[in-house]
Amino acid sequence: MQRIGFIVFPGFQVMSLAATSVFEFANREMGEPIYEVHLLSETGGSICSSIGVSVATQPFDDTSFDTLIVGASSDNEPSTPGLIKFVRQALGRCRRVAATCIGTFILAEAGLLDGRRATTHWNAARTLQARFPKVKVEEDRIFIIDGPVWTSAGMTAGIDLALAMVEKDLGADVARAVARKLVVYHRRAGGQRQFSALLEMEPKSDRIQSALAYAKGNLDTALTVEQLAEAAHLSPRQFSRAFRAETGQSPAQAIENLRVEAARLMMEQSRHPIDVIARQTGFADRGRMRRAFLRTFGQPPQAIQRIARAKATA
């Protein structure tokens, strides 16, 4: 049996506990207790969440755990020395150590993320990078596995992280069955974006919104700055300046993000070959699309397509 230690602390987010349901349903799917979940805290006893609901916990001790997961809190406050010491020691005693949402900050404080890739809630990613420059923060990932250290984005991404653990331990079929029983899609790929390209850009003016709408409807064409500027009824120079001011991106970056998102959706909703998807979403060839996918998702198109087809089969 694998012991899962899940750390909570005063003010923890109840939503982070949702990940533990994955292990519960994995036990049900297997018909035997594969996982044994323990709620832990520095002091033990009753720990109150951010919404006022309390849970009973065991105090930190020498109990061995296969997996240690740090939950998330509402506020990103410095951790206590006892918590940091316990987490720091865990890397040498556990097969894997993980954190959900801004629980990643605790792993960083303990030094477990130095030189490693990690993610967290998109709203806290830049703060994480600024406070811990040795961490290789990838702010737009659902979850990241770097050796024995696992980190996930905010809230529901902890479920994806736990499903990935079950898949690693018990196989893809069990993970898919658990996902179905939890009424969620089979786990999102770790490289999937935390939110859509258009939501990320959030243009303020009608002109820039019109240009983006034009771009999204014509991704299979070259889409020059001149074309986009004409759609926005601006000169190319005015358009480029206004576009960057409103979206924080260059037109070229934005178009690539839209193309990558459209290509991923085609992979999820059709069985077109990668060459066809590359042409229909405006990439000149599959090599250019591959480079764009690696920049955006950290995975090549083939990996995203395999996951999409596995979901379709399930």
Side-chain angles (χ1 to χ4, degrees), residues 8-12 40-49 52-57:
V8 298
F9 26 79
F12 75 93
L40 310 176
S41 69
E42 184 174 357
T43 59
S46 180
I47 301 295
C48 189
S49 69
V53 175
S54 296
V55 296
T57 66

Side-chain angles (χ1 to χ4, degrees), residues 129-140:
Q129 187 65 86
R131 283 181 56 185
F132 304 100
K134 293 181 181 180
V135 181
K136 300 174 183 177
V137 179
E138 297 185 20
E139 64 181 82
D140 201 17

Side-chain angles (χ1 to χ4, degrees), residues 213-292:
Y214 173 84
K216 191 171 183 181
N218 295 275
L219 289 176
D220 58 336
T221 67
L223 287 176
T224 64
V225 170
E226 288 73 19
Q227 287 175 297
L228 297 174
E230 184 176 351
H233 303 292
L234 293 169
S235 72
R237 184 175 179 182
Q238 287 176 316
F239 171 76
S240 294
R241 185 165 57 244
F243 191 94
R244 185 177 285 277
E246 291 191 29
T247 68
Q249 302 178 24
S250 70
Q253 289 171 325
I255 297 307
E256 179 175 289
N257 287 339
L258 289 173
R259 284 189 166 128
V260 164
E261 188 167 79
R264 178 178 59 79
L265 286 173
M266 284 188 68
M267 290 176 186
E268 292 178 351
Q269 298 171 3
S270 74
R271 298 188 68 85
H272 291 310
I274 286 178
D275 288 331
V276 171
I277 294 173
R279 288 196 303 271
Q280 292 187 4
T281 53
F283 292 105
D285 53 55
R286 63 187 297 160
R288 184 170 295 180
M289 187 169 80
R290 175 185 171 82
R291 291 190 292 275

Side-chain angles (χ1 to χ4, degrees), residues 163 166-180 186 310 314:
L163 283 168
V166 169
E167 182 172 320
K168 180 79 171 176
D169 297 340
L170 305 175
D173 289 344
V174 174
R176 280 194 290 270
V178 170
R180 284 196 297 271
H186 178 52

Side-chain angles (χ1 to χ4, degrees), residues 113-220:
L113 298 181
D114 288 354
R116 296 186 187 275
R117 298 166 56 241
T119 193
T120 187
H121 192 290
W122 63 267
N123 198 40
R126 295 183 184 180
T127 302
L128 179 67
Q129 187 65 86
R131 283 181 56 185
F132 304 100
K134 293 181 181 180
V135 181
K136 300 174 183 177
V137 179
E138 297 185 20
E139 64 181 82
D140 201 17
R141 298 289 180 264
I142 295 295
F143 66 85
I144 288 176
I145 306 169
D146 192 326
V149 181
W150 302 47
T151 54
S152 80
M155 305 305 175
T156 58
I159 296 174
D160 298 288
L161 185 77
L163 283 168
M165 289 180 175
V166 169
E167 182 172 320
K168 180 79 171 176
D169 297 340
L170 305 175
D173 289 344
V174 174
R176 280 194 290 270
V178 170
R180 284 196 297 271
K181 288 182 177 178
L182 291 173
V183 198
V184 298
Y185 289 112
H186 178 52
R187 72 163 180 85
R188 292 172 288 181
Q192 186 169 327
R193 305 191 69 153
Q194 291 188 32
F195 39 79
S196 74
L198 284 176
L199 283 176
E200 181 180 356
M201 288 183 275
E202 293 184 333
K204 299 176 179 61
S205 71
D206 290 345
R207 290 185 172 186
I208 301 303
Q209 288 181 24
S210 296
L212 284 169
Y214 173 84
K216 191 171 183 181
N218 295 275
L219 289 176
D220 58 336

Side-chain angles (χ1 to χ4, degrees), residues 7-56:
I7 297 176
V8 298
F9 26 79
F12 75 93
Q13 280 278 352
V14 172
M15 184 65 191
S16 65
L17 289 177
T20 62
S21 293
V22 173
F23 303 113
E24 174 191 356
F25 277 83
N27 287 344
R28 294 188 182 188
E29 182 64 23
M30 297 298 292
E32 59 179 313
I34 303 296
Y35 299 107
E36 184 180 88
V37 178
H38 299 256
L39 293 185
L40 310 176
S41 69
E42 184 174 357
T43 59
S46 180
I47 301 295
C48 189
S49 69
S50 60
I51 201 171
V53 175
S54 296
V55 296

